[in-house]
Structure formats: structure tokens, C-alpha cells
Amino acid sequence: MSAVFEVERLSKAFGGLAVTQAVSLAMAPGDRVALIGPNGAGKTTFVNLVTGHLKPDSGVVRIAGEPLNGMNPMQRVQRGLVRSFQVTRLFPEMTPREHLALAVLQRQGRTGRLYGTLWSMPEVLDESEALLRTLGLEAAADRKVAEIAYGQQRLLEIAFALALRPKVLLLDEPAAGVPQSETPRIEAALAGLPADLAVLMIEHDMDLVFRFAKRVIVLAAGTIIFDGAPGDVTKDARVREAYLGSYADDRSVA
Amino acid sequence: MDADHPASLAGQVARPRFSASADWIGLAAILAAAIIFYLLFPNNLALLTRVIGIVMLVLSVDLVTGFCGVATLGHAALFGAGAYAAGIAAAHFGITDPIAMIAAGAAGGAVAGLISGLVVLRGHGLGQLVLSIAIVNLFHEAANKAASWTGGSDGLTDIAPSPLFGVFAFDLWGRTAYGLGIALLVIVFFLLQRLSRSPFGMLCRGIRQDPIRVAAMGASVRKTLLKMYIISGLVAGVGGGLNAISTQVVGLDSLSFTLSAQALVMLVIGGTGSLYGAIIGTVVFMLFEDFVSAANPFHWLTIMGALLVGVVLFAPRGIFGTAAHLFDQWRRR
Ligand SMILES: Nc1ncnc2c1ncn2[C@@H]1O[C@H](COP(=O)(O)OP(=O)(O)OP(=O)(O)O)[C@@H](O)[C@H]1O
Ligand SMILES: [Mg+2]
């Protein structure tokens, strides 16, 4: 099997509450997987366990066959496991261009350099510029992030992750908080992700999920209750039940 | 993506408004100010040299607080370590060449920076502040106990620096010390300008704005901050070494909580996160203090307090920070 990302029986409990229960999955390069589930199902916790921001009680995570147990988040990023955040985490006083340049420099192991500036590193600037163009961020490129629209910040989160050239990308609700009018741009950005990248996307917006994913995993109360084709997910009795329990109304899995 | 002609892209990128030319203007301004102060206060060169030494301390605080967001009330530990290192080198080891003494000061400051960093960075938020105070108190106590090396509460004397480059003796008027101080300040400032624009400088600013994001991009927050602590120790140590050379005595006050707190106050007055803010804050604070304490020995503390309250209320970004902000707004019109 050519899995680039494997999770094996990952478990975590907060006090008595089992938030992740023996979750297993595998992804190959180029996979497009959506991880969905009702609020509080444990999706973000799963991401935090995988990235090393939380310590699992048991289970193994592997990137390209290498187990990540005991590695801190930093080491995992260096192995090619990169995440975005459910609420954007960017540097408010830096520009998008500076963000991307910093990420490129980090990937190249050059953020420790005490001399030289971005403006004298054409290869770094070129790569940042290319990413800005791919994501359609040219117009905002040189404004402070605190001053740009939230939709653009979400795009920058994606660009920032890409600048690190991950093998596996975990996107935690990439369209959360973005006005409806701007979701098409997020969707376009997702459609344009590198073909060989394995992407696991957490998302509540089902339109986005259906257009993006070739495979859907449903998490409820910390357990995977469905793992299969997007077309089958709405027909699944357990999925319906899980969603009816939390929000039966508009979000319409059915 | 224009992958086929990538070389053309970089040229189109808008450079930041304050770029290389502004750096040279800044250095020229420091030199000009140095000459003006020399002409205005020819009999006060000792005070001016002390100001330069403290400027280095405040720059050093700025590196960890203004750039990286680590608050400290114990930074005199780095400055005092530099002063004692230079003083001990001269008094106990006969290393009286001023350049060598400055080097000893820098090394002493760097070691103190490493030790402080290792301890302070264990904590977070207020914990960091408490640890930094503990560090400077421990250093102070250690220097007090090791009286055979440091002179204890009497201070370390017998510091007799030989002439600079074998030519310029350290005269009574303090001209040589002042010249040395200005030269060191210009060099340090030049290097720190580079540093603040370097990839490392960017990473540090990133840590101040969101350390979790920095870790999530695969960089080590702790290692980066520790490195900055060492660099900040080098800078403070040079200031301490300069002070030892110019006053020819090192006292326990150079290793005190009071000095640490004052350095932070000076930085806030000038404006955190900017090298100019550190200089302006120190110069304003120290000259104002000197002037007021001479003019009104009874109420000078009150007046200093009023200055602080005034700056914090009416110029919350500090003198330089507020001026830069107003200038920025005016340009945008
Ligand atoms: N640090 C923690 N300590 C205790 N309980 C926690 C902690 N973090 C999360 N939980 C609980 O774990 C459960 C899963 O939370 P998680 O954030 O993973 O859900 P989620 O699926 O991402 O939800 P959402 O769709 O709202 O983002 C919730 O009940 C939450 O209250
Ligand atoms: Mg979540």
C-alpha cells in the first residue's frame, strides 16, 4: 500500500470523556478526503492529536511510513504534515507576502539567518509571488493582514501551508467565517491544490464537501461511523441519526 | 503562475517604505546627535557616555521584549554581567586593552543572556516576569557574595584601561570614552538594523504576534528566543563593558532590579519594537532625570512620574512610536 498518511487506533479521553476512540484511516498521495461530523464530534481534537498539539492516550500516526510518536508539532511539520487552523492564525502586523516568504525560508531551513533581507532573496520573493498569484492575493499582498478581508486571510492560510510544501495537508474548516459570496474563491483555491498532495478537510458546508471530496469520513462522538463515497453518505442510517441528534435543520446532510 | 520567466517577478515587488536608505539616515542622525550633544555639553561627557551604555541595555531589552514579546524585569543581569566581566578582566587578569575589555563584556553578557534565557523561557506571561526578577536578584546576590572577585558592596575598582589603540588615553574629560561609546553605538545599531530585517528578525516578530503559528510552520520558538536572549546579552554586555571602562568602577547597582525596571520604563517611553524608540527613550529619560534632579532636588521624582504618566496617557506607543504612527497617517492622506 502506498499510504502517505496513516492513523492507527488513535484514542484520547479528556477526563471521562472519550473524544477520540480508536480512529483509523489511511490516505494516499492525491487523496481528497472530507472529515465531517456534528459539532463537538472530535474533529479538531483529531487534528490536534495528529499534529502533536495534543498527546494521544494510544495509537500511531505515520507519515510516509515513519511513526510520529513522541515528535513535537515542529518535527511533524518537518516530516511534511501541515495544518491550517479553524480560526485563522496569522501574524496581524505582517503582509501576506512576508508570511509566504517566511514560510518558504522556514522550509529551506533559513529562518535562523541573521543577515540579508527578503528584498535581496529573489528566489524567495518569486516563490511567494507565485503563490500569491495562484491564490489570487496579489491585490492584498503588501497590506497588513489585520487590514485585509477575512476571506483573504483564509486564502492566505492555505497559501501559507502550501509554501511549506507538505505531503499531507489538514484543513480545519477552511471556509469557516467566510461570507457566502466569497466561498467560491476558497473552493477554487481548494480545487487548485497540488495534485499529489493528500488533503484531509474538515468542513461543515456540505456543498463544499461534495464538490471537493472523493471520500467522506463521518466522525460522531469520537468514532468513525462512516467512511466511503460522498454519494453514499446521505443514505447511511447511522449518519442520519448522528446528525439528527445535533442539528436536524438546515445544514441538510439529508 | 509565470513559471517560465520567474526572474522577472522580484523586480516588480514593492519594497517596504522604510528601506536601506532610511537605515543610513538613521545612522547619520545618531552621529549628528552625538556631535551636537558633545558641543552642547562638553563638560558632561561622563553622563553622555553613561547614557550610551544604558542605551545598549535598553536596546537589549527591546530585542527580547519589543521584538519577541518576552517581558523582562531582570535585564540588568546581562548588563551587569558585561560590566563585571570587563572589570574583572582588567582588575584581576590585567586585560586593560579597551577593545579586549569590551569583548570580555560582550562575552559576559552573552553567557548571562544564555543563563537568563534558559530560566526565563521556562515560564509564560507573568511567570516569565517573576523569573526574570529572580534572575537579576540571584546575580546581584552572587556578585555581592563573591566579594574577592567583585569587591562586593564596595564595588570593583582598580580598573585602569590602557589607551585606546595605544594612542588615546582615557582622560579626565571623558572624550576618549565618549568617542568609543559613539563608535560602539553606531556599530551595534548598524548590526541590529540588519538583524531586525533578517529572516531571524522576521521570525522573532512572528513569535511575538503568534507563537503557535510559528510552531505550526515547523520553527522552534524556544530555540529562537534563546538565540535572541544570547544576542541581547552581547548587546547589553557591550554597554556594561563601556560603562566599566568609562567610570572605572563597577558597582552592584549595575546588576539591580531597579536598573532593570528603569530600562523597561525607558523603552516604554521611547516606544517598544523599534531601535530608535530604545535610543530616544533612554536619552529623554536620563537627560530629563539629570536636569530635573539638579533643578529641583526635592520634587524630581514627582516630575519623573508625571513624565511617565504623560507619555503613557498621551503617547501610548512611546515617543518614537507615536511620532512614527502620526507620520504614517499623514503620509496616507
Ligand atoms: N482540552 C479539552 N479538554 C476537555 N474537553 C475538550 C478539550 N478539547 C475539546 N474538548 C471536548 O471534546 C469534544 C470534541 O471537541 P472538538 O473541538 O474536537 O470538536 P469538533 O468536532 O472540532 O467540533 P466543531 O465542529 O464545533 O469544531 C467536545 O465535547 C469538547 O468540549
Ligand atoms: Mg472543530
Side-chain angles (χ1 to χ4, degrees):
Chain A
M1 187 170 74
S2 64
V4 64
F5 177 54
E6 293 161 281
V7 177
E8 232 176 77
R9 300 192 61 77
L10 201 62
S11 298
K12 175 78 180 176
F14 289 118
L17 183 69
V19 182
T20 308
Q21 298 184 56
V23 170
S24 301
L25 62 91
M27 288 171 61
D31 276 2
R32 296 288 185 270
V33 180
L35 178 64
I36 66 171
N39 289 107
K43 304 181 295 292
T44 297
T45 303
F46 172 75
V47 170
N48 285 333
L49 289 172
V50 167
T51 54
H53 286 89
L54 283 175
K55 199 174 152 16
D57 299 333
S58 62
V60 189
V61 178
R62 275 188 282 266
I63 290 281
E66 183 187 8
L68 305 183
N69 294 45
M71 288 189 194
N72 61 29
M74 192 183 87
Q75 292 163 319
R76 293 174 193 227
V77 174
Q78 289 160 1
R79 298 299 187 286
L81 178 68
V82 173
R83 71 172 299 178
S84 74
F85 289 90
Q86 183 166 346
V87 177
T88 53
R89 296 203 83 110
L90 297 163
F91 308 119
E93 289 164 32
M94 283 191 205
T95 66
R97 192 189 306 286
E98 287 170 328
H99 276 81
L100 299 180
L102 191 60
V104 170
L105 286 166
Q106 176 60 35
R107 189 190 79 226
Q108 298 172 340
R110 294 204 285 173
T111 43
R113 263 175 60 162
L114 300 174
Y115 55 92
T117 79
L118 281 190
W119 316 103
S120 60
M121 299 176 182
E123 27 14 290
V124 175
L125 287 177
D126 287 347
E127 197 178 330
S128 317
E129 179 72 20
L131 277 165
L132 288 166
R133 290 185 184 193
T134 319
L135 278 289
L137 282 169
E138 301 102 309
D142 295 302
R143 291 165 56 198
K144 284 183 183 171
V145 159
E147 297 168 2
I148 70 177
Y150 194 68
Q152 290 175 317
Q153 295 186 24
R154 295 251 65 144
L155 289 169
L156 180 57
E157 275 262 355
I158 297 172
F160 195 85
L162 288 179
L164 297 167
R165 297 227 180 118
K167 295 192 183 89
V168 178
L169 179 59
L170 308 174
L171 298 169
D172 196 352
E173 303 201 29
V178 176
Q180 274 298 321
S181 58
E182 285 183 50
T183 37
R185 289 186 64 192
I186 306 276
E187 204 177 315
L190 295 175
L193 291 174
D196 57 344
L197 179 64
V199 186
L200 180 74
M201 177 180 77
I202 297 177
E203 188 50 64
H204 282 298
D205 181 336
M206 295 313 287
D207 293 335
L208 202 56
V209 166
F210 284 126
R211 279 199 284 266
F212 171 80
K214 308 278 181 302
R215 174 179 157 201
V216 175
I217 296 175
V218 183
L219 201 64
T223 324
I224 293 185
I225 58 167
F226 176 89
D227 185 344
D232 300 332
V233 69
T234 52
K235 299 173 204 145
D236 189 278
R238 288 178 69 192
V239 173
R240 284 166 166 265
E241 195 187 320
Y243 271 87
L244 284 173
S246 68
Y247 56 118
D249 47 4
D250 47 37
R251 281 273 181 86
S252 70
V253 160
Chain B
M1 252 199 262
D2 282 5
D4 19 353
H5 37 95
S8 60
L9 293 176
Q12 306 165 12
V13 171
R15 278 175 155 258
R17 267 166 293 152
F18 294 101
S19 60
S21 59
D23 281 1
W24 293 110
I25 295 173
L27 286 172
I30 292 177
L31 270 177
I35 294 169
I36 292 171
F37 277 116
Y38 178 85
L39 296 174
L40 284 179
F41 308 106
N43 300 321
N44 254 339
L45 294 183
L47 170 69
L48 295 181
T49 309
R50 176 160 171 79
V51 170
I52 298 170
I54 301 296
V55 162
M56 307 262 195
L57 168 60
V58 176
L59 281 170
S60 161
V61 176
D62 201 14
L63 291 181
V64 298
T65 302
F67 285 79
C68 298
V70 179
T72 163
L73 278 169
H75 233 58
L78 284 58
F79 177 84
Y84 276 108
I88 288 171
H92 293 284
F93 296 99
I95 300 173
T96 54
D97 176 68
I99 302 296
M101 286 173 70
I102 292 292
V111 172
L114 174 66
I115 296 171
S116 299
L118 283 172
V119 175
V120 170
L121 296 174
R122 291 254 147 227
H124 293 281
L126 281 177
Q128 275 178 344
L129 221 47
V130 171
L131 285 173
S132 71
I133 296 172
I135 280 282
V136 74
N137 284 340
L138 283 172
F139 272 57
H140 186 276
E141 219 19 58
N144 192 18
K145 285 270 144 53
S148 58
W149 286 97
T150 62
S153 51
D154 297 336
L156 178 66
T157 50
D158 293 331
I159 302 170
S162 49
L164 182 61
F165 306 127
V167 180
F168 306 102
F170 286 89
D171 54 355
L172 273 179
W173 294 278
R175 285 194 204 118
T176 306
Y178 184 65
L180 174 65
I182 291 297
L184 288 172
L185 179 61
V186 167
I187 294 169
V188 165
F189 198 79
F190 175 81
L191 293 175
L192 292 185
Q193 280 176 332
R194 310 282 109 171
L195 181 81
S196 74
R197 295 196 199 299
S198 70
F200 176 76
M202 276 181 80
L203 188 65
C204 287
R205 272 177 280 136
I207 290 177
R208 191 195 68 224
Q209 294 171 46
D210 192 343
I212 294 180
R213 167 41 92 195
V214 167
M217 68 181 234
S220 168
V221 172
R222 233 179 86 77
K223 268 192 209 155
T224 307
L225 291 179
L226 197 57
K227 193 160 149 187
M228 193 54 135
Y229 246 99
I230 295 171
I231 294 171
S232 124
L234 283 169
V235 174
V238 168
L242 174 67
N243 216 38
I245 290 173
S246 92
T247 60
Q248 309 196 353
V249 47
V250 180
L252 286 173
D253 57 330
S254 67
L255 212 51
S256 64
F257 167 71
T258 311
L259 181 58
S260 306
Q262 275 180 345
L264 192 62
V265 168
M266 293 182 215
L267 180 60
V268 170
I269 287 180
T272 58
S274 138
L275 301 174
Y276 295 101
I279 297 192
I280 291 171
T282 314
V283 171
V284 168
F285 182 99
M286 290 190 67
L287 295 189
F288 195 72
E289 178 185 50
D290 185 69
F291 173 76
V292 175
S293 62
N296 191 336
F298 300 108
H299 293 298
W300 72 274
L301 271 174
T302 318
I303 300 175
M304 286 310 290
L307 167 75
L308 238 183
V309 172
V311 168
V312 172
L313 287 185
F314 298 110
R317 296 163 201 256
I319 296 170
F320 180 79
T322 303
H325 180 68
L326 291 176
F327 182 68
D328 212 51
Q329 301 230 306
W330 172 77
R331 274 175 75 124
R332 282 184 187 209
R333 293 257 182 91

